[in-house]
Amino acid sequence: MGTLDGKRVIITGAAGGIGSGAVEAFVAEGARVACTYNSSKPTLPDGVVASERCDITSKASVDSVFDNFAEKLGGLDVLIQAAGLHGGCPADE
């Protein structure tokens, strides 16, 4: 049993870096994890409930993915926003 058994977690940026490490750590501790990526689908550990491509600069994309994940997970306990932007946010321009 892990310290996070049954916790429902969404992690963005699962393709690498902090997001990838967070997915591995939360799954290892028993959390029910759903994650997003923006590049090619990453290799994910067994135990990931769902994964989808998501463009975090698009509100429609984020809303759709998060609604889907919340339904699959039955709610949400933890959100880790580890996805990054290269070159700034379009909303700032």
Side-chain angles (χ1 to χ4, degrees), residues 5 19 26 45 56 73 79 82 87 92:
D5 283 346
F26 274 76
I56 64 165
L73 293 171
L79 169 64
D92 294 336

Side-chain angles (χ1 to χ4, degrees), residues 1 3 5 16 39 44 46-48 51 54 79 91:
M1 292 179 84
T3 58
D5 283 346
S39 55
L44 299 168
D46 290 340
V48 171
S51 65
C54 181
L79 169 64

Side-chain angles (χ1 to χ4, degrees), residues 15-89:
I18 293 169
S20 176
V23 169
E24 291 177 12
F26 274 76
V27 167
E29 288 299 323
R32 297 181 62 229
V33 175
C35 57
T36 71
Y37 54 91
N38 193 32
S39 55
S40 59
K41 186 173 182 176
T43 301
L44 299 168
D46 290 340
V48 171
V49 173
S51 65
E52 287 187 35
R53 186 176 187 284
C54 181
D55 177 1
I56 64 165
T57 66
S58 165
K59 183 179 181 330
S61 179
V62 172
D63 287 348
S64 174
V65 168
F66 276 63
D67 287 346
N68 184 28
F69 284 173
E71 183 178 325
K72 284 183 178 179
L73 293 171
L76 179 63
D77 296 305
V78 178
L79 169 64
I80 298 175
Q81 198 311 94
L85 295 173
H86 298 284
C89 181

